Amino acid sequence: MSADQQQPARTSRRGRPPRSEGPALDRARLIATLLDMARSDGIEALNIRPVAQRLGVSPRLLYHHVRDKEAMLALLTDEILRGRMPDLSAPDWESRLRSIARAVHMAYRDFPGSAAFILSRSANRLEQPNALTIRRAIFEALAEAGLTQQQSDEMLVIFSVIVLGNVVVSESLDDNDNRLAMQRNVVEAALTRATDMLLTAIRTVAGAA
């Protein structure tokens, strides 16, 4: 018997063969899977183990990309926004804010639970690159309008409640139930009027400064 034939099969230190963690996982495949699952099931249904199962990998591999569920959902919501980034080239601050409101609304309305996640975690500073780009653009527009930093901070809160809150209300409605106190199309149409009111408030605050 040769020396090679005499050697036992390699095992782990516990006497068992090394455990496969599944195929290699890159960021692009993780994001694509998160988007697909969130669109069909809503982001609140996303947890580490079900996502790992869909990917065909060990949950441990996910932790190479995200530290926990919270970080995973933050990554997802920022990727949703990346696909709907607004046009920020308008020369006037009002047009830029309108563009941001429309883009953010359109981005999150197709992913149930995404807007509610962002609103409920706003104080946690889950800073992702695309969200930071939008945040900076809003502050630049508000500064151009003549608001102070404190006033801008307050208007950012109002802006978030108007745009994301509209998505939260809209996605809770059944298009086929005429008995509801509010209809989805009315709620979504109200976003334009609410944005008009916000811009009026900004001009009023700036004029009083």
Side-chain angles (χ1 to χ4, degrees), residues 22 63 72 78 105 107 117 150:
Y63 294 118
M72 181 176 70
D78 201 60
H105 182 269
F117 171 80
Q150 180 176 346

Side-chain angles (χ1 to χ4, degrees), residues 127-157:
E127 296 179 340
Q128 296 289 328
N130 298 300
L132 285 176
T133 296
I134 295 298
R135 182 185 179 92
R136 284 193 294 267
I138 292 174
F139 278 133
E140 288 172 4
L142 294 175
E144 186 179 319
L147 269 57
T148 66
Q149 185 60 55
Q150 180 176 346
Q151 291 168 338
S152 295
D153 289 340
E154 293 172 354
M155 286 299 173
L156 177 61
V157 173

Side-chain angles (χ1 to χ4, degrees), residues 100-122:
I100 292 170
R102 286 194 300 270
V104 171
H105 182 269
M106 291 292 291
Y108 294 120
R109 70 176 188 170
D110 294 330
F111 296 88
S114 57
F117 171 80
I118 297 169
L119 281 174
S120 65
R121 271 72 170 186
S122 295

Side-chain angles (χ1 to χ4, degrees), residues 93-106:
W93 64 268
E94 290 191 30
S95 295
R96 295 199 301 276
L97 286 181
R98 287 186 188 278
S99 178
I100 292 170
R102 286 194 300 270
V104 171
H105 182 269
M106 291 292 291

Side-chain angles (χ1 to χ4, degrees), residues 128-191:
Q128 296 289 328
N130 298 300
L132 285 176
T133 296
I134 295 298
R135 182 185 179 92
R136 284 193 294 267
I138 292 174
F139 278 133
E140 288 172 4
L142 294 175
E144 186 179 319
L147 269 57
T148 66
Q149 185 60 55
Q150 180 176 346
Q151 291 168 338
S152 295
D153 289 340
E154 293 172 354
M155 286 299 173
L156 177 61
V157 173
I158 297 172
F159 180 93
S160 300
V161 170
I162 287 175
V163 177
L164 296 175
N166 183 280
V167 178
V168 172
V169 173
S170 179
E171 71 185 22
S172 70
L173 303 176
D174 186 339
D175 289 330
N176 300 317
D177 192 345
N178 294 324
R179 298 168 300 174
L180 294 174
M182 291 184 287
Q183 298 299 313
R184 184 191 296 270
N185 63 328
V186 175
V187 172
E188 293 187 351
L191 177 65

